[in-house]
Amino acid sequence: MTPVRVLILSFAFLSAVGIFTWSHLRSPAITTETYTAEELLSLPGDGDYDKNLAKLVDYQPEPTAPYFHAPCPVSGKIRKDIVSRFQLIGFENERNKRQWQHILETMNDKRDIESFKKNVRNFILVLLKIQTEGSHHLFGAAEGGDLAAYARVAICDEVAIAHHHIKDGIDPNIGQDYIDNPNLDISKQDRILFETLYRSCRMTISNAFRYTPCALTRVSFYPTEQDWSLILYALKIDKKRPNEIVCTYKSR
């Protein structure tokens, strides 16, 4: 074999290895394995759903009538938090407004990076539940659409707060305020995650007319397909994990 041919084959092999490695690093596969009985999550203990329509029961991989799959209930506490991120800011304890004093307290709380990841994860789970087949059993079209929009804003709201706690910020170019000495030092992996979340927050005017009086433009969570895969992997979200996104119900 000629030296030129050997060189060409070697280059092709190294290129293939490089592409394979990069694709696995940038777009990790989401686990879809079958879960054993011991690995099943317990039934959600919080969350409202129409109990006159159906009853939440133990998970069944392939339910048949009168059993069916639908999104797991959304925690009332998480729903309230999501909706509050969308409200106008209030300064004098006005009803149905997000109070400025509470925002300041949140900004000054000492928090670790896991608390930010937990909130973002919870908000993404809500978004995935609404997008799951059978969501009409728990959410009407209008309510589900509104909650999805609220969740997309809430994710970016949490990322913005995290930015002001993280040392040097997520993006040093946009600066920091409210916290004099942000000192939350995070790992390289967490910084990659939050940089990905940050660039996934995009300007939007989607359905602005449907909600309370507000500025026309918003920042909302719309990741690219590649970034979405990375986010799900980093937050250990598996769309097929029983009793987290999808639950089993029995028709009344």
Side-chain angles (χ1 to χ4, degrees):
M1 186 178 296
T2 65
V4 173
R5 184 175 177 80
V6 171
L7 182 61
I8 292 174
L9 290 175
S10 298
F11 178 78
F13 174 77
L14 291 173
S15 298
V17 171
I19 293 171
F20 177 82
T21 303
W22 175 252
S23 65
H24 277 65
L25 286 173
R26 294 295 297 159
S27 301
I30 305 302
T31 305
T32 56
E33 64 190 60
T34 301
Y35 289 86
T36 66
E38 292 75 17
E39 293 171 323
L40 284 174
L41 295 178
S42 58
L43 289 176
D46 181 25
D48 296 327
Y49 66 97
D50 189 346
K51 296 179 176 62
N52 294 318
L53 174 68
K55 177 184 178 182
L56 186 64
V57 298
D58 291 334
Y59 183 83
Q60 297 182 17
E62 299 180 3
T64 55
Y67 300 95
F68 62 91
H69 278 166
C72 299
V74 173
S75 162
K77 181 179 179 181
I78 294 173
R79 179 194 290 260
K80 183 178 179 181
D81 188 10
I82 286 175
V83 173
S84 73
R85 312 283 183 124
F86 210 87
Q87 293 173 335
L88 296 175
I89 294 176
F91 295 90
E92 298 179 357
N93 295 317
E94 304 95 326
R95 292 187 60 187
N96 299 321
K97 289 191 176 181
R98 187 182 185 189
Q99 295 305 309
W100 179 244
Q101 184 59 37
H102 181 261
I103 294 174
L104 289 179
E105 291 170 358
T106 301
M107 292 299 300
N108 289 302
D109 281 347
K110 290 185 177 180
R111 297 177 57 183
D112 59 27
I113 197 64
E114 293 302 320
S115 70
F116 289 107
K117 289 166 65 176
K118 180 179 179 181
N119 279 348
V120 169
R121 188 179 194 276
N122 285 338
F123 298 161
I124 288 177
L125 288 178
V126 171
L127 189 60
L128 288 172
K129 288 176 184 180
I130 294 169
Q131 296 173 342
T132 299
E133 182 180 356
S135 63
H136 61 279
H137 289 291
L138 295 179
F139 314 102
E143 180 188 2
D146 288 353
L147 190 57
Y150 299 159
R152 291 185 187 278
V153 171
I155 293 166
C156 295
D157 188 274
E158 188 69 9
V159 171
I161 296 173
H163 164 76
H164 290 285
H165 283 77
I166 294 172
K167 185 177 180 180
D168 298 325
I170 297 171
D171 183 348
N173 292 322
I174 62 177
Q176 293 171 287
D177 52 13
Y178 295 112
I179 298 178
D180 292 333
N181 296 298
N183 58 5
L184 186 54
D185 206 357
I186 63 176
S187 67
K188 181 178 179 180
Q189 290 80 4
D190 285 339
R191 182 166 290 279
I192 291 173
L193 168 62
F194 276 85
E195 287 174 350
T196 306
L197 290 166
Y198 169 71
R199 68 169 173 260
S200 298
C201 290
R202 304 170 184 274
M203 293 185 68
T204 178
I205 57 173
S206 300
N207 296 322
F209 63 90
R210 293 182 56 195
Y211 312 116
T212 56
C214 62
L216 176 64
T217 56
R218 293 185 181 277
V219 175
S220 193
F221 180 70
Y222 284 97
T224 64
E225 183 177 348
Q226 187 175 16
D227 284 347
W228 186 228
S229 296
L230 188 152
I231 290 166
L232 295 179
Y233 180 82
L235 293 175
K236 297 180 174 62
I237 295 176
D238 179 354
K239 295 180 181 180
K240 297 187 180 297
R241 182 178 291 116
N243 291 339
E244 182 164 64
I245 297 174
V246 177
C247 287
T248 304
Y249 296 82
K250 180 181 180 182
S251 299
R252 293 291 189 182

